[in-house]
Amino acid sequence: MKKEFTMVSTCLLGVEGLVANELKFMGANDVSAENGRVVFKGDSNILARANICSRYAERILILLDTFNAKSFQQLFDGVSRINWSDYLDEKDKFPVKGTCLSSQLMSVPDCQKIIKKSVAKSLSNAYGNDWLPEDGELHQIQFLILKDKVSIMIDTTGVGLYKRGYRENSNDAPIKETLAAVLSDLSRVRKNHTVIDPMCGSGTILIESALKALNIAPGLNRGFVSENWSQIPNEVWEEERQRAKSQINKDCDFKAFGYDIDRDALNIARENAYKAGVGDRITFEQRNIKDFSGDFPRGTVITNPPYGERLLDIDKARELYKIMGQKFAKKDGWSYTIISPDDEFEKIFGRKADKRRKLYNGMLKCQAFMYFKK
């Protein structure tokens, strides 16, 4: 019988529900959404599956234990109760990082030292060796101390899940891949949709929409730090990659169109799309937003226009909003999703959104304004 883990999927604020739903769909158990993360259970296949297939999560961690600690001694003792040799081999690297919020223990460097010391003592006792070389595989230990409650975790992902592997190049201030995937989900992109981004930049929204429509797992072509761990059999990763490949559906009518005034950005976008395996589904063309027209019987517009804190000053950004309001006409079969941090967006755009969703683009609080009613 395979070992079951309790895991944590960290995510952008506001998308916990999406992450919880996709984990349930993957077969995870006891899924519970919290602020900025989702806790769930599963075996090593679910661990690998979550890393390979999650569109919205930032990383997947194993949750080793939770306990209360108001002193360094309580922190040391709580960490020492974990059977560390179940998770780390004698030579493995185990750096420590974390966060303290609203707790008696508020010094992150001191907490790092205490946790490191406790883990080292536990491993030394388990392996009968006072010297731990730490030249093996990386096991990044993470801790969260929130209101005196300590969570001790190990990161299984490595480089964040938003790094799909296709975007080595990008224009200024690109949207995060995970947020682009969220916008695609909120816009209900399906396999027969035509998706348009009239200010596409490096193409991330269109690429994530295509990956979703064709059911291509976003982590299929990248590696994860836990692939090298002795605690997770190599065949698990092979099984999960084969499973993901078997679910790809290229027999669909999805197509996308990306427009931008920057020819260099379009060249980058085109290159990224082919790296992601969806280049044949997306057409890129140099075009100004002023020239936007609904040339198709149906269309799903999703865009992340430049704005004050990102690329343009606020007045120029609002000029774009006004143009979009004029160009994005109400008509059958068309929907529009625009993400913006501007509280005045709807007023400048010219009409109230049919639906809004609070999201974070990095640390910047935004809203996705959705228009779909005729």
Side-chain angles (χ1 to χ4, degrees):
M1 184 175 178
K2 290 183 178 178
K3 178 180 175 65
E4 184 175 74
F5 301 98
T6 298
M7 289 172 272
V8 170
S9 171
T10 60
C11 60
L12 297 169
L13 288 170
V15 303
E16 297 89 350
L18 292 180
V19 174
N21 286 338
E22 72 171 352
L23 287 168
K24 289 174 185 176
F25 186 75
M26 289 179 204
N29 299 317
D30 298 337
V31 179
S32 175
E34 302 176 0
N35 281 338
R37 70 181 203 170
V38 177
V39 181
F40 64 102
K41 291 182 180 179
D43 60 15
S44 54
N45 280 83
I46 294 296
L47 184 153
R49 191 176 302 167
N51 273 298
I52 293 167
C53 297
S54 179
R55 298 189 189 280
Y56 318 117
E58 297 297 305
R59 58 182 62 249
I60 307 298
L61 306 104
I62 298 173
L63 178 60
L64 303 184
D65 200 7
T66 59
F67 54 88
N68 291 321
K70 294 184 179 182
S71 69
F72 289 131
Q73 187 62 52
Q74 289 176 337
L75 178 62
F76 183 94
D77 292 343
V79 173
S80 68
R81 285 193 289 270
I82 297 169
N83 192 353
W84 286 97
S85 59
D86 285 350
Y87 302 96
L88 280 81
D89 294 333
E90 185 176 2
K91 294 184 178 182
D92 287 340
K93 295 189 282 284
F94 55 100
V96 179
K97 65 181 180 181
T99 305
C100 302
L101 297 167
S102 304
S103 300
Q104 294 292 310
L105 301 175
M106 286 299 291
S107 170
V108 170
D110 286 337
C111 291
Q112 286 175 297
K113 291 174 186 175
I114 294 296
I115 293 170
K116 181 81 176 182
K117 184 177 178 181
S118 183
V119 176
K121 184 176 180 181
S122 176
L123 291 173
S124 294
N125 290 338
Y127 292 115
N129 188 353
D130 290 335
W131 182 70
L132 301 170
E134 290 199 60
D135 57 5
E137 299 301 334
L138 174 64
H139 289 63
Q140 175 68 64
I141 297 171
Q142 293 200 19
F143 67 89
L144 170 65
I145 306 179
L146 175 62
K147 296 181 180 178
D148 300 322
K149 184 177 181 180
V150 182
S151 297
I152 302 292
M153 299 161 284
I154 298 179
D155 176 27
T156 74
T157 299
V159 177
L161 291 176
Y162 69 93
K163 292 282 191 180
R164 318 295 206 200
Y166 63 76
R167 199 173 74 176
E168 291 180 18
N169 300 312
S170 64
N171 63 328
D172 292 335
I175 191 171
K176 212 172 187 181
E177 291 90 326
T178 42
L179 182 55
V182 168
L183 294 176
S184 174
D185 187 273
L186 293 176
S187 303
R188 301 185 180 277
V189 169
R190 298 292 184 267
K191 62 182 182 179
N192 61 340
H193 277 202
T194 298
V195 175
I196 304 105
D197 185 351
M199 290 167 280
C200 69
S202 52
T204 309
I205 288 174
L206 299 173
I207 292 168
E208 291 296 326
S209 295
L211 292 175
K212 175 179 170 59
L214 276 62
N215 204 32
I216 299 174
L220 194 53
N221 297 314
R222 55 155 286 176
F224 307 94
V225 68
S226 51
E227 286 188 71
N228 301 316
W229 295 359
S230 64
Q231 295 81 8
I232 302 176
N234 288 334
E235 56 265 26
V236 165
W237 294 98
E238 181 59 29
E239 286 171 12
E240 291 304 321
R241 283 201 167 87
Q242 288 303 321
R243 176 185 178 276
K245 287 177 183 176
S246 72
Q247 295 183 342
I248 294 172
N249 177 24
K250 294 191 175 181
D251 184 22
C252 67
D253 297 326
F254 176 87
K255 56 183 178 292
F257 296 84
Y259 307 124
D260 205 283
I261 59 172
D262 186 338
R263 186 173 294 278
D264 291 337
L266 290 169
N267 289 335
I268 291 170
R270 196 173 290 110
E271 182 182 343
N272 290 341
Y274 276 99
K275 281 182 183 175
V278 294
D280 60 333
R281 299 285 179 154
I282 308 174
T283 300
F284 294 100
E285 182 181 325
Q286 189 172 23
R287 188 185 294 187
N288 195 299
I289 183 64
K290 294 177 182 178
D291 301 320
F292 179 85
S293 61
D295 301 328
F296 314 103
R298 305 175 70 85
T300 302
V301 174
I302 313 171
T303 193
N304 175 38
Y307 38 74
E309 295 185 39
R310 187 166 156 259
L311 292 174
L312 300 181
D313 65 53
I314 198 71
D315 290 334
K316 289 182 179 177
R318 287 178 171 179
E319 285 177 21
L320 288 179
Y321 301 160
K322 189 178 291 185
I323 294 168
M324 284 190 285
Q326 296 164 355
K327 294 292 182 177
F328 295 175
K330 291 184 179 183
K331 55 182 178 178
D332 246 355
W334 280 77
S335 69
Y336 309 91
T337 299
I338 308 112
I339 184 170
S340 171
D342 195 333
D343 292 334
E344 298 292 312
F345 175 83
E346 289 168 299
K347 180 180 177 181
I348 299 158
F349 185 80
R351 61 185 190 269
K352 289 280 188 183
D354 298 311
K355 190 175 181 181
R356 289 178 294 180
R357 181 72 172 263
K358 187 191 296 183
L359 297 169
Y360 281 82
N361 191 356
M363 296 302 292
L364 189 61
K365 186 170 72 173
C366 298
Q367 290 203 70
F369 298 93
M370 291 168 269
Y371 298 86
F372 47 81
K373 294 179 181 176
K374 185 177 175 183

